[in-house]
Amino acid sequence: MKNRGWVCLCAAVIVFAWTTIATAHEIGTTRVSTRFEGESYAIEITTDAASLIEKLDAVGGSPTDATTARVDAAAMAKRLVACDDVFRQRVTVAFDGTDARPNIHYTVSPASDAMSPLLATIRLTGEVPRGASHFTWSYSWTFASYALSVTNGSLASTTEWLEGGQASAPFALAAPPPPVGRAAVARQYLLLGFTHIVPHGLDHMLFVLGLFLLSGRLRTVLAQVSAFTVAHSITLGLSIYGVITVPSAVVEPLIAVSIAYVAVENMLLSELKPWRIALVFAFGLLHGLGFAGALRELGLPRAEFMTALLTFNAGVEAGQLAVIAAAFAIVGWHCRRQTWYRQRVVVPASLLIACTALYWTVERIAPEASALGSWL
Amino acid sequence: MRCRIFVALTTTLALSGTSLRAHDMWIEPATFSPSVGDIVAVKLRVGQDLLGDPLPRDPALINQFFVVDGEGRKPVVGRDGSDPAGFIRVAAPGLLVVGYRSNPSVVDLTPEKFNQYLKEEGLDAVAAVRARRGQTGGARDLFSRCAKSLVASDAPANGQGDRPLGFTLEIVAERNPTTMAAGEDLPLRLTYENHPLAGALVVAINRAHPKEKLSARTDKDGRVRFQLPRTGMWLIKAVHMIEAPPTAGADWVSYWASLTFELQDRASVRSAS
């Protein structure tokens, strides 16, 4: 039975990993880098020269002479200069939502060997308007994914993946606020982790209570909480680092289902079974994704990324332990050993938790349905 | 180092779940009519109306990339992260069938874009299912490529022709287009999981005149016929979409088949034969 539990867990992890990892994007050869220095900006686009000219000619209405234009770097650069007006139609450099008109310089480098394509380097330069706070960019001369990197002197840098025609996220040009010290970040994120459980995380609180209610033995509670902690720490870390991504529309209903499952099992079982640990571990993986979603919404300071991640996780642990401590305090150490404990405490409390969790499941899967229910 | 950075960037993007729109993807050899002994660059292109961007060789995307000639099946070799994505060596006269099968990519589409995509690709059955279920939202599509290209070296014999490569969705030319002239009748067969696919929209696009598209629906045997009126490079394409299985992490799974080749003028065909 023990083995079967682990086999099921491994299978679940493999399926989970396959669905989240086994996809890749079609990345082209275009790259865009933007640099702000003082009052000026310089944007450099490197892209395949021949395919850009083909597209410019198609939009501009003059078909490319394939035999001459694709081999001579100087002729291609000349062609790009001639297409300047057309090129500008599908490139946007904007400050605070207002389009700027950069100076554009086109060059095409000779290929390193006969088989390599010629690369065009297009340099857009200009002055940042006085008082501008945000920069946005879009480039519609590619059909594939491309990377946009933005550097603001020594203040900040980002890399964003975009599709052709997709506008970038606004890039703040003002200096970021002064960095906060490590101790302050640790304190802040420890508190954020704790408050994510108590009082804001009622669903996580009910899950931990479900673990507590299974049996009166402290060892049972500790074994489950340990499995849950290890699991959610794994997915919290992996998700924050972008190794796995699962939409919250999937995670949140499953978290509700996990709470219902634990509560229902409490009504059917009175002692720890091996598969329960495996399941709690699997549910921990799910809850970790939920914690990651919350942490992402809060944001992580770039300079103290690891401190914030670790202390947030520690805060979550502290919150869970606080729930268990409170439960011990309310139920009392001795009550847990009484014969009526199961009938009068475990079963009714688990029933209440199960009903609440099932309601959340429906609410999270189909918010319209639950909205209609409350209206009726 | 460049390759390593490319792979790292690929992986980062692969996991980021950004939103994009699926475009056509095709194979574009440096020449469709090489001589024996030539090394031919095989470029992969993604785009619309045969205006494409280079798709460099990406080990994370490649499921199969090979060429079939008279001697059998050989891999299309190349350097990771580079364009052209691969190279083939023409060992003997005859027809070479180049095949590229990709791993799936995810695309998140807004309702407008998804509906437009269904309309453009003629996926009426999917649109009907959505309408019946009252689904009006966006969708996550897990798409993959099944691209082929026909390269003829030194006038292949009439008996040589396109052949099925076993791709999930596949266009097979039932007559060798490399020995045909513009205007002649070209029968094509569309198969899904090696069975004829009926009612699918098949589109033909000429490189020099991409706006003048020809299109037809496959009959019950998965067959369409085109009289391609112009010489030069042609792209034949079709898309098939099915409902995603529960473990796929998507709403729909689509397969994009393409076939590229070059049609000659009548004089060239006559002199070759």
Side-chain angles (χ1 to χ4, degrees):
Chain A
M1 185 59 84
K2 200 172 192 174
N3 285 343
R4 195 186 297 170
W6 280 107
V7 168
C8 289
L9 177 65
C10 290
V13 168
I14 289 165
V15 168
F16 177 75
W18 185 88
T19 54
T20 53
I21 293 174
T23 54
H25 285 250
E26 291 177 334
I27 302 168
T29 52
T30 301
R31 302 284 179 268
V32 181
S33 65
T34 303
R35 191 165 191 89
F36 292 94
E37 284 290 353
E39 299 300 308
S40 59
Y41 66 88
I43 302 166
E44 196 169 279
I45 305 164
T46 54
T47 191
D48 181 73
S51 63
L52 175 60
I53 289 173
E54 275 181 8
K55 282 175 263 185
L56 289 167
D57 284 344
V59 174
S62 61
T64 305
D65 180 348
T67 49
T68 56
R70 291 188 201 175
V71 287
D72 184 351
M76 290 176 102
K78 214 170 151 186
R79 186 83 199 106
L80 287 173
V81 172
C83 292
D84 180 68
D85 284 343
V86 182
F87 180 78
R88 287 175 183 272
Q89 289 170 14
R90 297 192 179 192
V91 179
T92 308
V93 176
F95 294 94
D96 298 336
T98 305
D99 290 358
R101 186 177 167 84
N103 302 311
I104 305 185
H105 184 249
Y106 303 88
T107 52
V108 177
S109 324
S112 54
D113 59 72
M115 292 292 190
S116 298
L118 297 177
L119 283 183
T121 303
I122 303 160
R123 201 171 155 80
L124 294 77
T125 53
E127 297 293 313
V128 177
R130 189 175 292 275
S133 61
H134 287 88
F135 159 79
T136 46
W137 162 262
S138 81
Y139 180 73
S140 304
W141 290 109
T142 180
F143 293 106
S145 307
Y146 72 96
L148 165 72
S149 67
V150 187
T151 307
N152 188 4
S154 56
L155 298 173
S157 68
T158 63
T159 298
E160 187 179 2
W161 285 94
L162 296 170
E163 308 308 321
Q166 186 186 349
S168 70
F171 179 83
L173 299 170
V180 185
R182 180 170 294 173
V185 169
R187 206 165 38 242
Q188 183 192 358
Y189 278 81
L190 191 71
L191 190 65
L192 285 170
F194 186 90
T195 55
H196 182 64
I197 302 295
V198 185
H200 301 309
L202 185 57
D203 49 357
H204 299 297
M205 285 164 69
L206 290 191
F207 184 82
V208 174
L209 274 179
L211 303 184
F212 167 83
L213 285 169
L214 176 66
S215 97
R217 299 174 64 192
L218 184 61
R219 254 180 67 183
T220 305
V221 177
L222 287 179
Q224 293 179 93
V225 169
S226 304
F228 182 65
T229 300
V230 170
H232 77 60
S233 301
I234 291 170
T235 41
L236 171 59
L238 292 178
S239 184
I240 285 297
Y241 274 99
V243 178
I244 47 173
T245 50
V246 184
S248 65
V250 177
V251 172
E252 293 301 325
L254 286 175
I255 286 177
V257 169
S258 72
I259 300 164
Y261 178 89
V262 164
V264 170
E265 205 179 51
N266 285 349
M267 291 186 271
L268 304 174
L269 297 176
S270 59
E271 57 180 328
L272 185 66
K273 299 288 181 190
W275 73 79
R276 169 91 167 199
I277 295 289
L279 272 169
V280 167
F281 185 88
F283 292 156
L285 294 174
L286 270 177
H287 285 244
L289 294 171
F291 296 147
L295 184 53
R296 223 176 281 116
E297 278 178 22
L298 293 168
L300 282 160
R302 183 185 297 271
E304 291 294 343
F305 188 93
M306 186 53 83
T307 307
L309 176 61
L310 292 177
T311 50
F312 181 84
N313 201 27
V316 165
E317 291 316 314
Q320 287 168 184
L321 293 175
V323 171
I324 289 173
F328 266 116
I330 293 165
V331 173
W333 185 259
H334 293 292
C335 293
R336 291 167 60 86
R337 297 176 188 282
Q338 303 301 320
T339 49
W340 48 264
Y341 172 71
R342 183 169 170 74
Q343 282 308 316
R344 294 189 193 170
V345 178
V346 174
V347 173
S350 295
L351 186 64
L352 198 62
I353 292 172
C355 291
T356 310
L358 286 172
Y359 172 76
W360 281 337
T361 308
V362 175
E363 186 186 47
R364 291 173 186 189
I365 290 173
E368 318 83 34
S370 60
L372 186 64
S374 61
W375 181 75
L376 288 172
Chain B
M1 178 56 90
R2 203 174 147 188
C3 286
R4 206 177 301 161
I5 292 169
F6 175 79
V7 171
L9 291 175
T10 305
T11 312
T12 310
L13 183 66
L15 302 163
S16 68
T18 54
S19 169
L20 74 148
R21 192 175 153 213
H23 298 289
D24 294 337
M25 185 263 150
W26 64 92
I27 298 171
E28 201 169 304
T31 171
F32 284 96
S33 47
S35 301
V36 173
D38 282 357
I39 305 273
V40 180
V42 179
K43 295 176 275 186
L44 303 178
R45 291 290 181 263
V46 60
Q48 274 181 328
D49 294 342
L50 276 173
L51 290 171
D53 280 284
L55 206 55
R57 188 183 184 92
D58 181 355
L61 269 179
I62 295 174
N63 184 277
Q64 297 175 66
F65 196 13
F66 59 90
V67 58
V68 181
D69 61 12
E71 296 172 358
R73 181 181 284 216
K74 298 166 197 159
V76 176
V77 294
R79 191 160 46 94
D80 289 345
S82 68
D83 169 55
F87 296 92
I88 54 173
R89 186 174 166 276
V90 183
L95 189 75
L96 293 91
V97 184
V98 185
Y100 169 85
R101 178 78 173 90
S102 80
N103 288 321
S105 298
V106 161
V107 56
D108 287 310
L109 295 154
T110 60
E112 298 75 31
K113 283 192 172 176
F114 189 63
N115 291 334
Q116 185 192 349
Y117 162 23
L118 296 181
K119 199 173 165 190
E120 282 175 4
E121 305 305 334
L123 300 166
D124 301 352
V126 175
V129 168
R130 274 168 58 86
R132 201 167 56 240
R133 292 178 185 166
Q135 293 175 339
T136 53
R140 173 170 275 205
D141 178 27
L142 203 60
F143 68 96
S144 56
R145 312 293 196 174
C146 308
K148 291 170 66 178
S149 187
L150 304 178
V151 177
S153 141
D154 294 339
N158 276 336
Q160 284 184 308
D162 185 13
R163 64 201 87 184
L165 301 180
F167 288 169
T168 310
L169 186 70
E170 184 165 358
I171 299 168
V172 181
E174 294 191 308
R175 200 178 151 200
N176 184 356
T178 67
T179 59
M180 285 170 48
E184 288 184 45
D185 188 50
L186 174 63
L188 298 148
R189 201 165 204 211
L190 182 67
T191 60
Y192 173 64
E193 294 182 333
N194 301 318
H195 296 291
L197 184 66
L201 184 72
V202 180
V203 179
I205 307 169
N206 180 262
R207 182 171 191 90
H209 300 86
K211 300 288 179 197
E212 300 171 13
K213 295 184 178 74
L214 282 83
S215 62
R217 294 258 175 199
T218 52
D219 64 15
K220 63 179 173 39
D221 298 319
R223 209 167 262 126
V224 286
R225 309 184 89 89
F226 287 122
Q227 276 102 41
L228 304 177
R230 296 182 185 278
T231 57
M233 178 180 160
W234 281 90
L235 164 69
I236 312 286
K237 51 162 259 188
V239 182
H240 183 51
M241 184 178 274
I242 57 165
E243 193 149 14
T247 55
D251 304 303
W252 301 93
V253 176
S254 64
Y255 300 95
W256 293 63
S258 69
L259 176 71
T260 49
F261 53 84
E262 195 171 61
L263 272 194
Q264 299 170 24
D265 56 34
R266 283 183 192 281
S268 310
V269 172
R270 265 199 302 274
S271 65
S273 59

